[in-house]
Amino acid sequence: MSSFISSFFGPSRRYKRAQNSTKPIRTLKFSCLRLSSTASFGMAFRSLVTFVSLAAALTGAYAALTRRVACPDGKNTATNAACCQLFAVRDDLQENLFHGGLCTAEAHESLRLTFHDAIAISPALEAQGKFGGGGADGSIAIFPEIETNFHPNIGLDEIVELQKPFVARHNLSVADFIQFAGAIALSNCPGAPQLAAFVGRKDATQPAPDGLVPEPFHTPDEIFSRLADASQGEFDEILTVWLLTAHTVAAANDVDPTVPGSPFDSTPGLFDTQFFLETQLRGTLFPGTGGNQGEVESAIKGELRLQSDHTIARDSRSACEWQSFVNNQTKAQQMFQFVFHDLSILGQNIDDLVDCTEVVRTVT
C-alpha cells in the first residue's frame, strides 16, 4: 500500500482532504456544525478512506500473487531480497529491546524518535542558502552529542543509546533503523495499524540545525507553520492532528521531571482514541508539581496534558478534525498509517527505497 498511495499523495503533492463531521463534545464551546459544505467534505473524506482501504487490499492481493524470494535464514520469504535482513532485525528488537514484543516505554520512545529525526528538515532554510537538515536521515543518532542536546530532544539520548548495539549488529543504515524500529515498536500496541517500513535511505553526513522540532509550549501557528515547512505544505492543520495520534501511546519524561513517564491518556498501552477525548475535557489538576513550561491542567489523575495538544484541540482550524477521532478507531488507524508513511520518508527519494512493510506484524 505504501508505494501505491505515495504515487498519488506523496510529500511532493498537495491533495484535497475533507473532514468527518461529528457531534460536538459538550466540554468545548467550539461546535462542528453539519453544514452542507461540511457534509460534502465528509463524503469526499469517506471516499478517500475507502480508496486507502481498497489500495491496501489490492496491495495485499498483489503481494500474494508476486513471486517471493527465499531469504538466507531458511525461514522467511519476501517480495524483495532487500527485505530479508529485516526479519532478523525485527526479531532482535522484539526479544531484546521491546521485552518480548510489548508496548513498553522503550516502544513509546522508539516511536517518538522517528518523528524527532524525520521532522528536522526545512526547505525554507535551504531557500535561504542554509543547511536545512536531512529529514529521516538518522542524524539524531549519528550525531547524538549534538542533536539530543537540543531542547525538544531532551531525554532521547536514552533510547538512542539503547538502540546503538542493535544498529551495530545489523547491516542497516541508521536512517532505516530508526524508522523501522518505530514501526516495530508501535506494532506491539494493541489496536495499532501496520506502519510502513522502507530500506534504502541515505544516512546523514551532518547534524540537523536546532529549532526544527516543535515544542509543547509552541503556539498552534508555530507548529502548523513548522510542519508545513518540513513537508513542503503537505502537513497542514488536518494532518497535524493525524500525526498527533501517536500521543495515544506516548508519555512525558521531562516536562515535569517529578513524575517521569506520565502518559497523555488513560490507556497508554493501547492504540485507541482516548487521547482525543480526554484532551478535550476541562483540566483541573496536574500529575506532579504543575507550573511547568509546556504543561496545562489535565482532567484525569496521573495524566499529563501538553499545552500544544490542549491548544490544537481547541483551535478553530483543527478542533473539528480533533473531535472526529473520538470513538473512531478505524480513522485513527488509517490516518496515522497514512501520515507515518510520508513522515518516514521526509528528505528521501521514494524511488530509491524498497517497501518492506510486509515484515511489520501487528497484534490484535
Side-chain angles (χ1 to χ4, degrees):
M1 181 178 70
S2 300
S3 299
F4 184 78
I5 292 178
S6 178
S7 65
F8 287 89
F9 309 118
S12 62
R13 295 212 34 193
R14 259 319 254 173
Y15 61 93
K16 295 181 179 180
R17 289 166 301 275
Q19 307 170 35
N20 281 340
S21 58
T22 184
K23 293 181 180 179
I25 301 297
R26 291 186 178 182
T27 52
L28 294 182
K29 295 181 180 179
F30 189 87
S31 296
C32 300
L33 302 178
R34 294 180 179 272
L35 302 177
S36 58
S37 59
T38 306
S40 63
F41 279 0
M43 292 177 64
F45 182 84
R46 286 190 292 273
S47 296
L48 170 61
V49 171
T50 301
F51 177 77
V52 171
S53 300
L54 178 60
L58 290 174
T59 302
Y62 175 76
L65 294 173
T66 302
R67 184 176 179 180
R68 300 182 67 81
V69 177
C71 295
D73 62 10
K75 300 184 298 183
N76 296 291
T77 62
T79 55
N80 191 300
C83 301
C84 286
Q85 60 183 320
L86 294 183
F87 290 106
V89 182
R90 180 194 67 192
D91 295 345
D92 193 8
L93 283 168
Q94 293 289 53
E95 180 178 353
N96 299 306
L97 183 60
F98 301 139
H99 305 279
L102 301 178
C103 187
T104 59
E106 292 83 2
H108 300 167
E109 287 297 285
S110 292
L111 183 62
R112 179 187 174 208
L113 188 64
T114 65
F115 176 80
H116 285 246
D117 186 51
I119 206 65
I121 183 171
S122 174
L125 285 180
E126 294 285 348
Q128 299 171 23
K130 304 174 183 178
F131 176 61
D137 63 357
S139 63
I140 194 169
I142 297 171
F143 305 98
E145 69 285 355
I146 296 175
E147 290 196 37
T148 61
N149 283 310
F150 295 162
H151 190 266
N153 295 339
I154 289 175
L156 283 172
D157 59 312
E158 296 179 8
I159 192 62
V160 167
E161 191 65 24
L162 285 173
Q163 289 186 0
K164 188 179 297 185
F166 295 87
V167 175
R169 282 200 292 270
H170 300 283
N171 184 29
L172 202 62
S173 72
V174 179
D176 285 344
F177 181 87
I178 287 175
Q179 299 303 321
F180 182 68
I184 297 302
L186 190 66
S187 76
N188 294 327
C189 303
Q194 181 188 45
L195 297 186
F198 292 95
V199 295
R201 295 177 185 82
K202 297 178 180 178
D203 274 346
T205 57
Q206 58 182 311
D210 196 3
L212 298 183
V213 180
E215 300 257 31
F217 54 82
H218 284 167
T219 66
D221 281 345
E222 290 173 313
I223 293 172
F224 295 153
S225 176
R226 174 77 278 276
L227 296 186
D229 173 33
S231 62
Q232 300 183 57
E234 183 191 1
F235 295 164
D236 60 7
E237 299 87 352
I238 302 304
L239 267 71
T240 297
V241 175
W242 298 5
L243 280 167
L244 287 171
T245 307
H247 282 185
T248 184
V249 291
N253 289 323
D254 300 291
V255 174
D256 184 347
T258 68
V259 283
S262 296
F264 298 152
D265 72 6
S266 58
T267 56
L270 300 176
F271 186 94
D272 58 17
T273 63
Q274 282 300 111
F275 166 72
F276 290 102
L277 172 63
E278 294 169 12
T279 309
Q280 296 179 72
L281 303 177
R282 183 172 65 87
T284 58
L285 72 166
F286 292 102
T289 59
N292 300 291
Q293 187 182 40
E295 182 188 11
V296 298
E297 288 182 321
S298 172
I300 298 175
K301 185 177 180 180
E303 184 175 302
L304 188 144
R305 182 179 297 179
L306 297 181
Q307 176 185 322
S308 52
D309 290 341
H310 178 87
T311 53
I312 290 174
R314 289 158 176 78
D315 189 279
S316 61
R317 294 163 291 182
S318 48
C320 282
E321 186 67 9
W322 194 282
Q323 292 184 33
S324 75
F325 276 80
V326 176
N327 293 328
N328 195 339
Q329 179 72 6
T330 299
K331 180 173 183 177
Q333 292 170 330
Q334 292 180 334
M335 297 306 97
F336 188 68
Q337 182 184 54
F338 177 91
V339 77
F340 180 86
H341 169 281
D342 286 2
L343 172 74
S344 72
I345 57 174
L346 287 178
Q348 303 285 337
N349 183 349
I350 194 171
D351 293 333
D352 296 334
L353 307 181
V354 176
D355 188 343
C356 298
T357 302
E358 63 186 301
V359 180
V360 181
R361 298 171 178 169
T362 56
V363 296
T364 57

